[in-house]
Every structure is written in C-alpha cells, then in structure tokens.
C-alpha cells in the first residue's frame, strides 16, 4: 500500500516512516508538512492512503481531504492525531474518513489499523470509540450559547458556517471587513471557540446552517 504522510512536525513524520518501514507491505512514498505539499503529493504519487492530522500547523487537515475529494483523488484517508475533539471527529466521519488512529498507538496497533483500512473497512481507535459513544449519549453541541449573539453576529456565524471569507461576508451583509473581523472576534469569545474552523463547525452542528462547507484555514 502506497502511503503519503501529512504532519507539520518533522519528528512525528520521521517516526512514522521508521515504523512503517518494517516488513508490513506498506510503502511511504512522500511526506508533507502543509496543505500545498499534501495536495501536490496526492496528485503526483497517487497513493492508496493519506495519513493526516486534524491540524497542519495553522492549516486544516480536513480541508486537505475535502480538496482531494473535489479533485477526485482516488485514495483512502486516515486521521492520525492526539486531539479528542468531538466537532472535528464528527465532521470527519460525515466526510467519509476511513480511519481514526491515536498518535499514541504502538507500532503494531498502527500497522494493524492500516491493514484494516486497506481491506476496505473502517478503523476506529478505542479512544475515538469512546468519543463516539459520548456523542450519542449527550448533545454534541449546546445551542444555548447562540442566545448570547446579536442578530448581526448570528448572520456572520451563518456565513462562516457556509465557508465565506471575511471579504465575502462583508459583501453579502453590506458591512466593512473591519466590522466583520470585530464580529468574528466577539463570536469566538462568546462561544468560547478557538478559531474560525471551530466556529464554522459549530454553525453546522447546531443547525444554524446546513451546508457542505470548506473548512477555513
């Protein structure tokens, strides 16, 4: 199985290359540290599998997968991460990601997971299964914080959920980009969200919008 590794940390990539160099029928054909390199390798090498983290520095691993799907790249996708984030996990599942593997998995477990994916099956790390069970027991997102937002902030959040840039939001709502930035900052603060990606996911998970958006970077 031909594999491309995408991770912004060199030590992690080199550790994975060493692990996957064991006699296992796995062949790492390229390493990428960002979105541009990932998409270049996917087109050039046409691998069977892309192993990627939720985050590539300040970029989104899920956006790489979304773009690869738009380009009709014929490969499988596995998330290798130490993040336990219900919003990101749930969105990745909806995107059809083939496997979720813990960055803390031992070499034998990692290789086993990749062979499971190679056979066309889904692989969920036990920690990820716990997340899935938790998401079924409790609401994934609490809608109540939305009540803190002003009407205009809700409109901006809706546009974020649709993948709009600040410029596009400003144009559609007839406000300045500076005003958009102020609204986005207020939204992140009121909802206790770390970045625009989380805000976009939140807008979709709460049902504020129902749109197949591109994750912002």
């Amino acid at each position: 199985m031909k594999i491309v590794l995408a991770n912004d940390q060199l030590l992690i990539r080199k550790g994975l290359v060493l692990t996957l160099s064991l006699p296992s029928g796995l062949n790492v054909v390229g390493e990428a540290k960002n979105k541009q390199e990932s998409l270049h390798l996917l087109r050039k090498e046409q691998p069977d599998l892309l192993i990627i983290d939720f985050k590539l520095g300040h970029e989104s691993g899920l956006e790489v997968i979304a773009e690869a799907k738009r380009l009709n790249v014929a490969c499988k996708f596995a998330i290798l991460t130490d993040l336990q984030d219900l919003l990101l996990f749930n969105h990745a599942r909806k995107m059809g990601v083939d496997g979720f593997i813990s960055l803390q998995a031992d070499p034998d477990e990692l290789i086993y997971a990749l062979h499971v994916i190679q056979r066309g099956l889904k692989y969920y790390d036990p920690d990820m299964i716990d997340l899935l069970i938790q998401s079924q027991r409790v609401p994934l997102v609490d809608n109540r914080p939305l009540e803190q937002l002003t009407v205009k902030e809700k409109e901006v959040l809706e546009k974020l959920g649709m993948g709009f840039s600040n410029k596009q939001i400003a144009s559609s709502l007839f406000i300045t980009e500076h005003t958009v930035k102020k609204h986005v900052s207020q939204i992140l603060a009121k909802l206790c969200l770390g970045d625009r990606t989380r805000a976009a996911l939140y807008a979709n998970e709460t049902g504020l919008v129902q749109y197949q958006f591109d994750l912002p970077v």
Side-chain angles (χ1 to χ4, degrees), residues 1-3 24-27 48-49 76 98 111-123:
M1 178 164 60
K2 295 168 59 179
I3 296 173
S24 57
L26 306 174
N27 178 28
D48 302 300
L49 176 69
K76 298 181 183 299
D98 300 280
I111 292 172
Y112 169 76
L114 298 186
H115 283 306
V116 168
I117 295 170
Q118 184 180 28
R119 294 199 301 270
L121 304 174
K122 300 283 186 181
Y123 179 85

Side-chain angles (χ1 to χ4, degrees), residues 62-88:
L62 293 186
E63 183 174 329
V64 174
I65 295 175
E67 180 65 19
K69 287 179 175 290
R70 281 195 293 269
L71 295 172
N72 294 318
V73 174
C75 78
K76 298 181 183 299
F77 302 96
I79 299 292
L80 180 67
T81 189
D82 57 1
L83 287 178
Q84 294 195 14
D85 189 309
L86 281 172
L87 287 174
L88 291 175

